[in-house]
């Protein structure tokens, strides 16, 4: 299964039909850019607006 991005929180979701972060099942194949957040307190996490470490898309259609 390809990687898809959650349309709510932009989390990259692999091999699942449900976002592990927000439990949304609305996943998109149309996303671009990739940010890896290692630390939820880092500046990049703040910029992307995430509270959980992981991989996130920059843009999700
Ligand atoms: Zn999500």
């Amino acid at each position: 299964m390809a990687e898809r991005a959650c349309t709510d929180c932009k989390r990259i979701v692999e091999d699942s039909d449900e976002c592990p972060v927000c439990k949304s099942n609305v996943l998109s194949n149309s996303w671009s850019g990739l940010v890896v957040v290692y630390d939820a307190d880092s500046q990049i996490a703040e910029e992307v607006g995430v509270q959980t470490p992981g991989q996130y898309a920059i843009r999700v259609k």
Side-chain angles (χ1 to χ4, degrees):
M1 191 183 287
E3 292 174 334
R4 291 181 291 171
C6 173
T7 56
D8 282 344
C9 68
K10 299 184 180 176
R11 171 80 178 211
I12 300 297
V13 181
E14 295 177 77
D15 301 326
S16 175
D17 289 325
E18 183 184 87
C19 173
V21 177
C22 68
K23 307 301 179 192
S24 168
N25 59 8
V26 184
L27 307 175
S28 173
N29 287 308
S30 294
W31 56 273
S32 61
L34 182 66
V35 196
V36 181
V37 176
Y38 292 105
D39 181 354
D41 294 324
S42 65
Q43 187 181 350
I44 186 85
E46 202 170 294
E47 281 177 18
V48 187
V50 304
Q51 280 88 42
T52 308
Q55 296 186 328
Y56 293 84
I58 295 185
R59 294 198 325 189
V60 182
K61 286 182 195 167

